[in-house]
């Protein structure tokens, strides 16, 4: 292999599942050249992962393709848990703080089809029948040898390599990275996609606890249902043969799932749970994402979603660095942010799986009573639904997020009028707002140029950062002057990198503001309240929809100091 220094492409992506396809689409949107290769001749037609949660749909909305998923999928609005012949738990997703208050049932091959179609519209495609043979990296890039179906090798030079090649990752194995965790072989599961006829709603998830084990039934848009059952202790756990329809029927009967008829199986399989995570998400110029980086219980259907979110987190950072606009240090934040998410997810799904598969009758009875009792509280319901929807994930401990809040001595305790200093209540209000590292909340807003109410996320679409400048509820000439100065400065200094929006808690624009850029009218105060913006403040929203920086009061000097840690001057 020669010493190649000129890259053939900026990024080489190995694997074209949902994670690799999302990475490719996002790099295309960020103007980064790439090649995405896959060893398969064509995409798999097996349904595999099939739940898309609210946070992932928000990502697809920013990409401009959420409607395509919603049109092809089945909305699931509720989740139910039954035991002892009655419903113990009912979780309604309709109150989620998201434009997508549901989970979407859609087979993985349909997800891949939509992403492939979008990639084609972006002017790129997956290169198939190509297998990574080996690679080496140096300080300036990666040199990979790609083997074609005819046995011929191609040498590819790239600035970065992203491994999206699944649980048996070739890249991870070549790096000899530990894939730490366990294979839970004592809990075998049967999986079936088939037709179901019963009286329960076909747009809700249903789980059944019994002394013998657990049954999960989830509808699919094709008219089929996904059924998952754990094997009893008496069953062998080394048999790789597909289950039969009679086996499924027998387990449903033994576990009290009554008045159900199953037929026309499309896919039958056995599986075991793996709880594993790679030690390093980044090794030099190589990144790992999706199942190549983490494996966990399918409880909650969050594996594919996590991989897509990995790619969405990484792509904008590579985009900034490759354009020479971002500090190289932001790439280190990929591991800090996404490994923490995977670690928490592994712990949560492992715990949920253990609870669902408890064997002792007394412990099962206690579990059932506690589950029914706790979920009667609104706060527990909210926490569970937000967790399922993945909208509660945050990066508060990330090395590239920060915030500034006025000290207690700078609070307007005297209630002096005509000042932008927050009073104590406004100071507390900001403290209770979304923090740096949190997902930016959505809200219905109206822009100056339209009477139509639109989601805030619609204004934030694109690949740039968005700066939200909140006027607060005190209208002062000094405050308008400060907001205008900040807006003009950052719009002029970072064109194409930062889109500036000024949010006013009024139905009309105050003439004193004299800002001709994007203005958000918020007469109902919904946006201001969601952001704890009773007093003047600012929020910087990253391209992935998370808050990178916030401050009260709105301080342009401190914001600039933060940006110098993210952007190249």
């Amino acid at each position: 292999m020669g010493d190649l220094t000129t890259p053939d492409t900026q990024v080489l992506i190995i694997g074209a599942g949902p994670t690799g396809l999302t990475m490719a689409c996002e790099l295309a949107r960020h103007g980064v050249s790439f090649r995405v290769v896959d060893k398969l001749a064509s995409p798999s037609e097996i349904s595999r992962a099939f739940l898309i949660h609210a946070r992932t749909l928000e990502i697809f909305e920013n990409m401009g393709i959420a409607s395509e998923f919603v049109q092809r999928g089945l909305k699931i609005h509720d989740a139910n848990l039954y035991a002892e012949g009655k419903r113990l738990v009912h979780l309604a997703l309709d109150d989620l703080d998201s434009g997508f208050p549901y989970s979407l049932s859609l087979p993985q091959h349909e997800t891949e089809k939509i992403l492939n179609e979008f990639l084609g519209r972006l002017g790129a495609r997956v290169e198939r029948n190509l297998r990574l043979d080996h690679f080496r990296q140096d300080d300036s890039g990666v040199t990979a040898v790609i083997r074609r179906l005819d046995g011929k090798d191609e040498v590819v030079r790239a600035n970065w390599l992203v491994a999206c090649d699944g649980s048996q990752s070739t890249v991870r194995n070549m790096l000899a990275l530990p894939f730490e965790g366990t294979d839970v072989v004592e809990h075998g599961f049967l999986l079936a996609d088939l037709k179901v006829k019963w009286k329960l709603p076909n747009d809700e998830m249903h789980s059944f606890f019994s002394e013998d084990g657990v049954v999960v039934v989830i509808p699919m848009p094709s008219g089929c249902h996904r059924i998952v059952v754990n094997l009893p202790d008496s069953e062998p756990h080394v048999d790789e043969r597909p289950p039969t329809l009679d086996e499924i029927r027998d387990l449903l009967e033994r576990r009290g799932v009554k008045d159900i008829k199953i037929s026309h199986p499309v896919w039958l399989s056995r599986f075991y749970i793996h709880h594993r995570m790679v030690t390093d998400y980044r090794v030099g110029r190589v990144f790992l994402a999706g199942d190549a980086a983490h494996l966990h219980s399918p409880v909650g259907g969050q594996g594919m979603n996590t991989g897509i979110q990995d790619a969405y987190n990484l792509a904008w950072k590579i985009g900034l660095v490759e354009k020479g606009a971002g500090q190289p240090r932001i790439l280190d934040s990929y591991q800090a942010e996404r490994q923490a998410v995977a670690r928490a997810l592994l712990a949560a799904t492992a715990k949920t799986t253990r609870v669902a598969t408890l064997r002792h009758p007394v412990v099962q009875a206690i579990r059932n009573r506690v589950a029914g009792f706790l979920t009667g509280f609104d706060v527990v319901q909210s926490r569970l639904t937000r967790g399922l929807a993945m909208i509660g994930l945050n990066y508060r401990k990330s090395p590239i997020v920060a915030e500034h809040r006025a000290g207690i001595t700078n609070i307007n305790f005297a209630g002096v009028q005509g000042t932008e200093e927050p009073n104590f209540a406004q100071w507390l209000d900001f403290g209770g707002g979304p923090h740096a590292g949190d997902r930016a909340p959505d809200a219905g807003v109206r822009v100056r140029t339209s009477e139509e109410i639109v989601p805030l996320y619609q204004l934030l679409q694109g690949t740039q950062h968005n700066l939200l400048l909140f006027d607060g509820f005190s209208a002062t000439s000094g405050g308008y002057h400060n907001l205008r100065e900040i807006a003009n400065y950052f719009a002029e200094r970072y064109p194409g990198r930062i889109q500036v929006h000024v949010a006013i808690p009024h139905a009309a624009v105050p003439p004193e503001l004299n800002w001709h850029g994007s203005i958000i009218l918020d007469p109902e105060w919904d946006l201001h309240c969601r952001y704890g913006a009773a007093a003047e403040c600012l929020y910087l929203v990253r391209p992935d929809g998370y808050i990178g920086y916030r401050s009260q009061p709105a301080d342009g000097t401190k914001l600039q100091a933060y940006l110098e840690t993210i952007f190249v001057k």
Side-chain angles (χ1 to χ4, degrees):
M1 191 184 303
D3 290 328
L4 304 177
T5 56
T6 303
D8 302 303
T9 189
Q10 290 171 293
V11 181
L12 176 62
I13 304 168
I14 307 298
T19 302
L21 288 169
T22 301
M23 177 64 66
C25 292
E26 280 300 281
L27 290 177
R29 293 178 67 230
H30 284 274
V32 177
S33 67
F34 63 89
R35 290 179 65 181
V36 53
V37 302
D38 195 280
K39 62 184 179 182
L40 296 179
S42 60
S44 172
E45 289 298 316
I46 298 175
S47 56
R48 291 180 291 177
F50 71 104
L51 283 179
I52 305 175
H53 297 303
R55 177 58 196 150
T56 304
L57 288 169
E58 291 174 353
I59 289 172
F60 291 151
E61 181 181 37
N62 185 271
M63 295 167 68
I65 55 176
S67 61
E68 299 177 47
F69 285 88
V70 174
Q71 288 168 7
R72 301 188 198 187
L74 173 68
K75 296 177 183 178
I76 298 178
H77 294 278
D78 302 87
N80 304 287
L81 173 61
Y82 307 85
E84 302 169 355
K86 60 184 178 181
R87 186 169 72 176
L88 298 180
V89 175
H90 174 72
L91 296 178
L93 303 180
D94 293 340
D95 293 331
L96 279 175
D97 181 22
S98 171
F100 302 93
Y102 47 81
S103 289
L104 192 73
S105 173
L106 187 70
Q108 182 174 323
H109 62 82
E110 288 291 335
T111 292
E112 293 180 9
K113 184 177 180 180
I114 294 171
L115 290 170
N116 264 306
E117 291 169 352
F118 183 52
L119 186 62
R121 296 197 297 271
L122 294 171
R125 63 179 180 84
V126 176
E127 299 177 63
R128 296 196 170 275
N129 285 321
L130 299 180
R131 178 176 59 84
L132 176 66
D133 189 74
H134 60 278
F135 70 90
R136 65 175 176 84
Q137 59 175 314
D138 51 50
D139 291 341
S140 61
V142 178
T143 304
V145 174
I146 304 296
R147 180 152 294 172
R148 298 183 175 278
L149 189 64
D150 60 10
K152 294 182 179 179
D153 290 343
E154 177 186 2
V155 179
V156 179
R157 180 71 177 178
N159 291 340
W160 309 96
L161 186 150
V162 182
C164 306
D165 51 346
S167 60
Q168 303 299 318
S169 173
T170 299
V171 175
R172 187 186 66 236
N173 292 332
M174 289 179 178
L175 290 170
L177 283 175
F179 203 32
E180 297 179 342
T182 58
D183 301 318
V184 192
V185 296
E186 67 270 20
H187 291 310
F189 288 80
L190 306 184
L191 175 154
D193 290 352
L194 39 68
K195 295 287 186 180
V196 166
K197 186 175 181 180
W198 63 350
K199 294 181 180 180
L200 291 178
N202 287 325
D203 61 350
E204 300 181 7
M205 293 183 272
H206 304 277
S207 300
F208 303 84
F209 285 172
S210 74
E211 290 185 7
D212 188 60
V214 63
V215 174
V216 179
V217 185
I218 307 176
M220 305 176 77
S222 63
C224 287
H225 284 66
R226 167 71 56 84
I227 294 181
V228 178
V229 296
N230 67 310
L231 286 167
D233 287 338
S234 59
E235 294 287 335
H237 298 296
V238 294
D239 196 343
E240 297 299 328
R241 62 182 174 80
T244 66
L245 207 56
D246 286 339
E247 283 182 89
I248 303 293
R249 286 195 184 99
D250 179 59
L251 285 169
L252 293 176
E253 177 67 25
R254 285 158 55 183
R255 294 176 186 181
V257 184
K258 305 294 186 181
D259 301 320
I260 184 171
K261 294 182 179 180
I262 60 174
S263 62
H264 299 87
V266 176
W267 183 34
L268 297 168
S269 179
R270 298 175 187 265
F271 69 91
Y272 301 97
I273 291 176
H274 307 274
H275 295 289
R276 293 189 174 276
M277 185 171 65
V278 75
T279 53
D280 299 287
Y281 273 47
R282 178 187 182 184
V283 179
R285 290 184 165 266
V286 179
F287 298 92
L288 291 90
D291 287 353
H294 45 76
L295 285 175
H296 53 83
S297 167
V299 170
Q302 296 177 319
M304 178 182 70
N305 292 265
T306 303
I308 289 170
Q309 291 169 34
D310 286 345
Y312 195 63
N313 179 285
L314 178 59
W316 72 267
K317 298 171 182 177
I318 291 179
L320 276 179
V321 171
E322 281 298 297
K323 291 175 184 176
Q327 296 281 2
R329 69 183 291 268
I330 67 174
L331 294 175
D332 292 329
S333 71
Y334 170 66
Q335 169 156 327
E337 293 179 351
R338 295 307 300 170
Q339 190 177 53
V341 167
R343 184 178 292 111
L345 186 59
L346 260 68
T349 56
K351 183 177 181 179
T352 303
T353 302
R354 286 195 300 271
V355 170
T357 55
L358 289 171
R359 302 297 191 182
H360 196 285
V362 174
V363 180
Q364 288 176 343
I366 295 172
R367 172 199 62 192
N368 297 345
R369 298 295 184 274
V370 170
F373 173 74
L374 289 180
T375 53
F377 295 96
D378 289 343
V379 64
V380 176
Q381 286 252 346
S382 176
R383 184 170 181 177
L384 288 173
T385 55
R386 285 176 61 84
L388 178 64
M390 306 182 78
I391 62 174
L393 301 175
N394 71 76
Y395 304 137
R396 290 189 182 185
K397 295 182 179 179
S398 169
I400 63 165
V401 305
E403 59 182 67
H404 170 73
R405 186 180 178 197
I408 195 78
T409 57
N410 298 111
I411 296 174
N412 179 16
F413 283 106
V416 178
Q417 300 298 313
T419 178
E420 293 293 338
E421 289 183 349
N423 60 36
F424 186 60
Q426 293 169 338
W427 185 79
L428 290 176
D429 188 51
F430 183 75
H435 288 246
D438 288 353
R439 161 185 164 272
D442 196 9
V445 299
R446 183 163 64 86
V447 295
R448 173 172 54 183
T449 55
S450 173
E451 293 296 320
E452 181 184 2
I453 302 295
V454 299
L456 175 67
Y457 280 7
Q458 184 172 314
L459 297 185
L460 305 187
Q461 278 189 335
T463 58
Q464 73 289 325
H465 284 69
N466 285 273
L467 177 58
L468 299 174
L469 296 170
F470 287 93
D471 181 32
F473 301 145
S474 297
T476 68
S477 297
Y480 291 136
H481 174 78
N482 183 47
L483 292 181
R484 182 173 63 251
E485 290 294 305
I486 294 174
N488 284 327
Y489 176 84
F490 289 100
E492 293 171 3
R493 176 152 187 169
Y494 298 102
R497 283 192 268 176
I498 296 179
Q499 175 67 42
V500 180
H501 313 269
V502 178
I504 305 295
H506 308 294
V509 182
E512 303 97 314
L513 180 61
N514 195 27
W515 158 251
H516 303 291
S518 173
I519 291 183
I520 297 171
L521 301 175
D522 186 31
E524 302 298 325
W525 299 1
D526 185 37
L527 187 66
H528 278 70
C529 289
R530 283 176 183 249
Y531 280 79
E536 182 186 280
C537 60
L538 64 80
Y539 284 79
L540 183 73
V541 181
R542 308 185 327 183
D544 61 355
Y546 284 82
I547 296 164
Y549 180 82
R550 71 171 191 153
S551 76
Q552 183 193 60
D555 189 320
T557 301
K558 287 185 169 57
L559 174 60
Q560 176 58 31
Y562 165 76
L563 288 174
E564 288 174 1
T565 70
I566 303 299
F567 292 148
V568 173
K569 296 181 182 179

